[in-house]
Amino acid sequence: MMPQQPILEIRRACPADEAAIARLLQLTSRPSTMAWRWQQHLDDETFLVTLCRGRLVGALLAWPDAGPVAWVRLGTLDGGFRLGPWLDQCLPLLIPPLRRLGARMLAWMDVAAWAGPALQQRGFRPLTRLVTMVKKDRRLPAIGAVNAVLRPATAADLPALLRLDHAAFSPPWWLGGATLERAWREALCFLVAEREGRLLGYSEAQLTPSGAHIGRLAVSPLAQGQGVGRALLASLLTSLWRQRIVHVTLNTQESNLTSQRLYAAFGFVAVPRRVVAWQRAI
């Protein structure tokens, strides 16, 4: 017989929970699903915390950055509690405010494969599998000439970059305006490719504890196949190396063989771990 789940209290997160959430994220064996500035959402309707006998044991934040999909931006639960009953308590509280924000799908990035079975039992279906790739050397392939000017992005570029981002990716992966601006402000390097005043693509990388992570390499559908992506990636890596970055990572979809071939040509190697993204209608 399964041990009975302890009585859990689910409530909206508040600023006073910040230290306890940070401690849980540091100690739990069930890691957060997606890196996000969760502190800015404390006291939002879509940020729930779970307590057992007064101790914070779970946290669940979902937020629709852009488009109809809300991603679980932080999701973690103390290892002593069963995920399924916890979801059964949290999801009915989470879905109504997400719908009021315009979300029609809820997506969850299962980083360490601890949530998948319980999600599937609750109507989630696989969206995609992500491949993490890493580069530790300084080898670059031949790039060739490209009919574009590469330069650092400016604040004036952001509206056009947002439109480019939404043209280059499908809705589950769209960035919102605030997220794009924050990426620009915090990036180790943020480059755009431009031709006759029109933006063709962009790339950016952020600092991580082990080096840098390339969060975005986007090329306008009208400019794909013209070497813009290769030129952006080469310039981005060169900039990171000038900043003494050695270890560079990125993610791509397992089904995106074109991207994987590009990154492999640059010396990126896939790591064994695969991350599954799940989604369900709400």
Side-chain angles (χ1 to χ4, degrees), residues 5-237:
Q5 178 94 342
I7 296 175
L8 301 178
E9 174 195 352
I10 313 289
R11 63 163 172 79
R12 184 188 300 190
C14 66
D17 296 319
E18 181 175 346
I21 294 170
R23 185 164 56 250
L24 176 64
L25 290 171
Q26 185 177 26
L27 298 176
T28 185
S29 60
R30 292 165 162 172
S32 176
T33 58
M34 184 177 287
W36 189 257
R37 291 292 188 85
W38 54 266
Q39 296 88 341
Q40 67 188 4
H41 294 282
L42 290 165
D43 210 27
D44 282 356
E45 277 189 290
T46 59
F47 197 169
L48 303 176
V49 293
T50 304
L51 294 94
C52 180
R53 301 185 182 94
R55 181 172 67 92
L56 195 146
V57 298
L60 183 61
L61 163 67
W63 190 257
D65 189 33
V69 180
W71 283 92
V72 170
R73 304 297 182 173
L74 184 155
T76 189
L77 181 67
D78 184 285
F81 299 87
R82 286 183 289 141
L83 177 61
W86 176 67
L87 288 172
D88 291 338
Q89 287 186 255
C90 290
L91 290 177
L93 301 175
L94 190 64
I95 289 173
L98 286 175
R99 287 184 64 86
R100 287 195 293 272
L101 289 168
R104 294 297 177 263
M105 302 291 294
L106 178 61
W108 182 304
M109 196 82 73
D110 190 14
V111 172
W114 64 274
L119 293 174
Q120 190 167 27
Q121 291 169 7
R122 284 151 185 85
F124 285 80
R125 294 293 178 263
L127 170 64
T128 190
R129 285 160 60 95
L130 297 182
V131 179
T132 298
M133 305 185 77
V134 60
K135 180 176 176 62
K136 299 180 181 180
D137 61 35
R138 294 196 172 190
R139 177 176 63 87
L140 286 179
I143 303 303
V146 61
N147 183 21
V149 174
L150 274 58
R151 60 169 175 79
T154 68
D157 295 321
L158 294 177
L161 288 178
L162 188 63
R163 293 191 296 272
L164 188 156
D165 186 89
H166 290 191
F169 296 101
S170 59
W173 311 107
W174 285 353
L175 295 182
T179 302
L180 183 63
E181 181 178 359
R182 185 172 68 244
W184 169 70
R185 292 187 182 280
E186 298 178 358
L188 282 171
C189 181
F190 197 127
L191 299 174
V192 298
E194 182 181 46
R195 180 190 300 150
E196 298 177 352
R198 183 168 62 90
L199 296 183
L200 307 178
Y202 77 94
S203 60
E204 58 87 12
Q206 306 285 327
L207 183 68
T208 68
S210 60
H213 182 78
I214 298 175
R216 217 60 160 180
L217 176 60
V219 178
S220 167
L222 299 176
Q224 291 177 7
Q226 302 174 22
V228 175
R230 293 174 66 88
L232 281 168
L233 184 56
S235 294
L236 185 69
L237 288 170

